[in-house]
Amino acid sequence: MLHDARPHPPRRPGRPRLRRPKATLASLSTLAAGGLIAVAFAGCGIVGPGPVDTTGATPFDEPLAIPPLAESHVAADGTRVFALDARAGATEFTAGVESDTWGFNGGYLGPTLVADRGEQVRIDVTNSLETATTVHWHGMHLPAAMDGGPHQMVEPDASWSPAWRIDQPAATLWYHPHPHGETESHVARGLAGLFLLHDEAERALGLPGEYGVDDVPVIVQDAGFSRDGEREDPQRGYAGGLGDELIVNGTRHPYFDVTDALVRLRLLNASTARTYAFTWSDGRPIELIATDGGLLEASVALDHVRLSPGERAEVLVRMTPGETVMLQSRMTPEIAGLVPAVAATNGGTDAFDVLELRAAGDLEPGASVPARLVEIVDFDAADVATTRHFELGDGFEINGEAMDPGRIDETVTVNTLERWIVENRNAVPHSFHVHDVQFRVASIDGAPPPPEMAGWKDTIFTEPETTYELLMRFDDYADPSTPYMYHCHLLWHEDQGMMGQFAVVEPGQRATMSEGTHHEH
């Protein structure tokens, strides 16, 4: 079980970004910021872990486990019905050594749910744990009452059956618990799984699509292990619990036998705090084709793909017969946007071997990837009805307030386009996740986003001293009595209160819960 450490938050150091220096006085504060932050963390009981580098340290000799596809049936009314049972179990991450874990329909993680756009789905959720939990459908567009946030708790021995119509493009989504104050613990124990959406446009592209063969789930988590191989609590930095080893789909030191020349990897950062910079060991470009909410307009060749907790990416890799290549994560302070002292204690200088790909001597030929994947229609900024501002604090607050389950912080009118300005004014890491909608990143510090952030997103890593302009449209699902969430997806931060609530209402309607002071901007 993870320690529920709740130290007093550090005070904001007030440091400008190194890559964008400001006035002389601010620059003087920059020189001391790294040391001051480290001292502040230590004074609050946070002594972050030191740098980790596991590259080349261990043979990768365990076959990658592939989460099973979730069974389903189609009811008489045409609804596709799945069943998930949250339960306690035991998992052998090391042969012969059991660790206490939680999972859906098994001892660790959960099955992969698959549905098509346009399908009506229902998921019968049973809670066989001894504590209440929830199941949130991360990245899904759906009614607030089906979202699985902290207002939809499932008590022990109880059940919940959310139902909705899939109405969004093909994408790699996921599901995980969302109990207020306990999300980090529930996810770290193993409650998580993938939810894959398909549509006609994606299927027509001829991308690798045979699950577990050339279309491979890669659920990445960090963990700590004892000398005997039992999973144990990781050390905590400001970002949260940071393990010194990675597991993929619950497998330590995994390899995957490749039988096709073109492979699609669906990367999910299911860690609670750690941000990754995925790259290849031989320096080849990493080919990105999709982000959180679906396909990009065209593939993008990158040095690395940065994913903070909750973010997803789909990448392609071409293999030649007999070759071996290692998927790695190599973070640097520059990639993390952190000063070295903060980066070193929050995973920002760590390097890991993640997954070894071993190509067979003969490979099935891989299809060519279309130059154009999908068309993404831009929002017209002239249609923005409301602009809202969100300041991420170093005291685990948003706009100076901690989460209050009885308060609606923002009230959104249905069928409107909104601009959300999200600013991390601190020298420490945060992220930002919005429930219900996929958004577009319109600008970062006033400049257009890089190509890898030009698609649909629901979660972003927010670099220190940086402002993000997000555009999102709330097309439907008005419900004045049930809120959605927005929050930092560093789960310890979320648990400490770095979360707010918004309700979507009809024109002229008000939320029926108590409203905060930020709902009209």
Side-chain angles (χ1 to χ4, degrees), residues 94-282:
T94 303
V97 180
E98 289 190 343
S99 298
D100 292 334
T101 56
W102 290 354
F104 291 104
N105 299 359
Y108 192 74
L109 296 179
T112 297
L113 282 62
V114 180
D116 276 15
R117 187 170 193 173
E119 279 195 294
Q120 181 76 16
V121 300
R122 187 184 83 224
I123 304 171
D124 295 332
V125 177
T126 301
N127 182 9
S128 297
L129 299 169
E130 296 181 353
T131 186
T133 191
T134 73
V135 185
H136 165 56
W137 320 104
H138 185 124
M140 193 75 74
H141 176 53
L142 76 178
M146 311 299 170
D147 185 52
H151 294 283
Q152 287 102 28
M153 297 295 292
V154 185
E155 297 298 323
D157 299 320
S159 60
W160 176 55
S161 294
W164 70 94
R165 186 172 70 89
I166 303 295
D167 187 20
Q168 62 192 100
T172 300
L173 310 183
W174 69 303
Y175 59 93
H176 64 82
H178 211 299
H180 182 42
E182 298 292 337
T183 298
E184 182 191 43
S185 172
H186 287 214
V187 174
R189 287 170 181 256
L191 290 178
L194 287 172
F195 201 143
L196 308 185
L197 304 183
H198 296 288
D199 62 20
E200 292 183 0
E202 178 239 7
R203 292 187 188 280
L205 294 172
L207 296 170
E210 186 175 356
Y211 180 80
V213 178
D214 62 356
D215 187 354
V216 184
V218 181
I219 302 172
V220 183
Q221 299 167 291
D222 58 339
F225 289 94
S226 69
R227 289 182 179 272
D228 296 330
E230 183 178 2
R231 191 171 179 179
E232 60 184 12
D233 298 342
Q235 197 171 357
R236 188 180 298 283
Y238 175 83
L242 296 168
D244 58 6
E245 188 175 324
L246 301 189
I247 52 177
V248 181
N249 301 348
T251 310
R252 293 179 79 182
H253 315 137
Y255 69 87
F256 180 74
D257 285 325
V258 173
T259 56
D260 294 76
L262 183 64
V263 179
R264 178 187 195 174
L265 302 180
R266 297 180 184 261
L267 303 176
L268 162 63
N269 182 352
S271 296
T272 64
R274 183 179 291 282
T275 296
Y276 300 101
F278 293 107
T279 189
W280 294 110
S281 58
D282 61 0

Side-chain angles (χ1 to χ4, degrees), residues 370-437:
R372 188 77 165 178
L373 297 174
V374 294
E375 180 182 4
I376 300 178
V377 179
D378 287 332
F379 291 127
D380 186 347
D383 294 335
V384 170
T386 303
T387 296
R388 305 179 193 272
H389 295 265
F390 301 87
E391 181 182 336
L392 309 182
D394 59 359
F396 308 121
E397 298 173 338
I398 299 177
N399 290 339
E401 293 183 322
M403 167 71 172
D404 179 349
R407 182 189 71 233
I408 297 293
D409 300 283
E410 312 285 341
T411 301
V412 174
T413 300
V414 72
N415 198 30
T416 59
L417 178 69
E418 294 205 352
R419 175 187 290 111
W420 287 22
I421 306 298
V422 180
E423 184 177 8
N424 181 1
R425 291 187 174 182
N426 312 288
V428 292
H430 289 303
S431 69
F432 195 74
H433 170 52
V434 183
H435 289 209
D436 177 43
V437 294

